Amino acid sequence: SERERERPSEAAARTTRAVGPRSGTMMGDTMGFFGGGFMVNQGPFVETFRVNSMIMHDKEDKENGDKIILPMSAFEKLANMHISYPMQFELLNEAVMDLTGADAKEFRTHVGVLEFTAPEGKCFIPHWIMCKLSLEEGSFLRVKSVNLPLASFIKFRPQSEDFLEISNPKAVLESTLRNFSCVTKADSICIPYNDRKYYLDIVDVRPADACSIVEADVQVDFEAPPGYQEKLDAAKAAREAAEAAGNGTPSPIPTPAPAPTPGSVDGSVSSAGAGGADRASLTLAELAKAREARKKQLEDKNAGYVAYSGQGRRIDDKTRGTSANPTLSEALESVAAPVATARKGKWKSKTKGAAFSGTANKLQ
């Protein structure tokens, strides 16, 4: 019948509604697994670790940067996620935020990763970051992966006027920033230089409050230290007050009028300039003439000088061997000469004779 002929089509439709969507989902999962290799997690990496300073991991030389050390399990999770490189993370102290109700910006910063060698459940960070986030050894810290834009502008403000004594502060700052991978607005960085530590506040960062500086062309600017501009204004006001109290309105420095020449009465600029030029040329000519005369005099004086031409005379104007009181050297020579002659004659007497003068008798 007609009703019986419709039943197979309804059964097929029910089968299609039950199996079709599920079959499509399984096919998509199968393509995602076998085609892509592994399932890729699109979400950010978020984990909580116990925090310790770098010195606890024998990495005290890494205190002047923003790199942290994570465990190997973190690397395995990050390898299966869709993240950007270089890896950068947001550090957040949730415990202090829950207790104080403070803004997240006060206990938040951004860092890079140095290596994955920390024990499981722990991470190591520089001590200045622990101070920034109000962390202690063994506190809990939330680590979240982020994708930061490249920085285009950073403004720093020294915490002390001592930083202004550095001859080239921009070069020193560039050398320090090589140890950083990102910067966060309202953070403070430490610059070690000449056995001293200078602290700089990050006042402004563009285009975002947190930016990456890895292979970025960044424009750097400096703001005056706290209280520095006030000191300049106070010194300027004191100087102006002293000038007003002592001399009234400061008068311009008078320009001395040029000396008049014999042919001029009012001492105009043109005549004075000509006279000054004439006097200058006359003075130079006299100096050149005196120099030539002195040079000729020295040449005439040295013309009759012959090197090593002395007669070797004594100070007392006596020749050698005529002194009634001989010197010590002369007395020693008079004693040593006969002794040397006697020794020479004795040696000659010993060596006198013919060599091989024996009779050459045979042994019997």
Side-chain angles (χ1 to χ4, degrees):
S1 64
E2 184 177 357
R3 186 175 181 180
E4 291 177 354
R5 287 195 300 268
E6 293 176 356
R7 286 178 181 177
S9 60
E10 292 178 1
R14 287 195 301 268
T15 304
T16 303
R17 286 194 298 267
V19 179
R22 182 60 181 172
S23 300
T25 305
M26 292 178 65
M27 183 177 294
D29 295 344
T30 304
M31 290 294 293
F33 183 81
F34 291 100
F38 293 97
M39 294 297 297
V40 178
N41 189 354
Q42 300 293 334
F45 171 84
V46 181
E47 291 289 340
T48 301
F49 301 98
R50 284 191 178 272
V51 64
N52 293 102
S53 59
M54 284 289 187
I55 196 172
M56 302 294 291
H57 198 59
D58 295 334
K59 296 287 186 180
E60 57 272 12
D61 57 327
K62 303 300 181 181
E63 289 285 348
N64 298 323
D66 68 340
K67 305 294 193 304
I68 66 173
I69 301 177
L70 295 174
M72 182 57 66
S73 60
F75 174 76
E76 294 174 356
K77 293 180 180 180
L78 289 166
N80 295 328
M81 290 184 178
H82 182 71
I83 59 174
S84 60
Y85 291 89
M87 298 182 185
Q88 293 171 335
F89 303 91
E90 177 191 67
L91 305 184
L92 187 63
N93 188 355
E94 295 179 324
V96 176
M97 292 175 53
D98 295 339
L99 293 175
T100 61
D103 187 9
K105 294 182 180 180
E106 298 182 10
F107 302 98
R108 182 195 67 174
T109 189
H110 297 81
V111 298
V113 61
L114 178 65
E115 56 189 30
F116 296 89
T117 59
E120 292 300 327
K122 291 186 177 182
C123 72
F124 298 92
I125 67 175
H127 185 263
W128 71 269
I129 297 180
M130 295 182 65
C131 296
K132 156 73 177 177
L133 303 180
S134 299
L135 291 169
E136 298 179 354
E137 298 288 342
S139 300
F140 287 99
L141 177 68
R142 194 191 77 168
V143 180
K144 178 183 177 181
S145 62
V146 292
N147 185 14
L148 300 177
L150 288 178
S152 60
F153 174 81
I154 306 175
K155 178 181 283 189
F156 295 93
R157 180 179 59 206
Q159 295 183 1
S160 174
E161 298 177 12
D162 298 339
F163 183 76
L164 303 179
E165 299 176 0
I166 300 177
S167 59
N168 194 351
K170 285 193 175 183
V172 176
L173 180 62
E174 288 177 0
S175 177
T176 303
L177 290 180
R178 292 192 183 101
N179 299 322
F180 287 77
S181 62
C182 51
V183 292
T184 306
K185 186 177 180 179
D187 273 2
S188 298
I189 63 173
C190 177
I191 298 180
Y193 181 73
N194 283 349
D195 298 330
R196 295 188 60 182
K197 291 184 178 181
Y198 303 90
Y199 291 91
L200 275 67
D201 298 331
I202 302 177
V203 180
D204 190 15
V205 180
R206 300 174 189 171
D209 290 345
C211 294
S212 174
I213 59 174
V214 178
E215 298 182 358
D217 187 10
V218 183
Q219 181 182 359
V220 177
D221 192 11
F222 290 91
E223 187 176 307
Y228 180 75
Q229 189 62 37
E230 288 76 3
K231 290 183 180 180
L232 292 181
D233 297 339
K236 182 179 180 181
R239 184 171 61 255
E240 293 177 352
E243 292 177 355
N247 302 323
T249 304
S251 58
I253 301 176
T255 304
T261 59
S264 174
V265 178
D266 56 353
S268 61
V269 175
S270 59
S271 60
D278 294 341
R279 287 194 297 273
S281 60
L282 181 61
T283 303
L284 292 176
E286 292 176 352
L287 290 175
K289 186 176 180 180
R291 189 181 301 108
E292 291 293 334
R294 177 62 178 169
K295 184 178 179 180
K296 185 177 181 182
Q297 183 180 359
L298 292 175
E299 291 176 354
D300 295 341
K301 183 178 178 179
N302 297 330
Y305 173 76
V306 179
Y308 304 104
S309 60
Q311 299 178 0
R313 303 181 64 87
R314 292 172 32 160
I315 297 177
D316 54 0
D317 201 18
K318 293 182 180 180
T319 60
R320 182 177 178 181
T322 60
S323 175
N325 299 322
T327 61
L328 179 61
S329 60
E330 293 175 351
L332 292 175
E333 288 181 1
S334 63
V335 174
V339 175
T341 304
R343 288 180 177 176
K344 186 176 180 180
K346 186 177 181 181
W347 173 255
K348 285 183 177 181
S349 63
K350 285 183 177 181
T351 58
K352 187 177 181 180
F356 305 105
S357 59
T359 57
N361 295 323
K362 294 183 178 181
L363 296 175
Q364 296 301 331

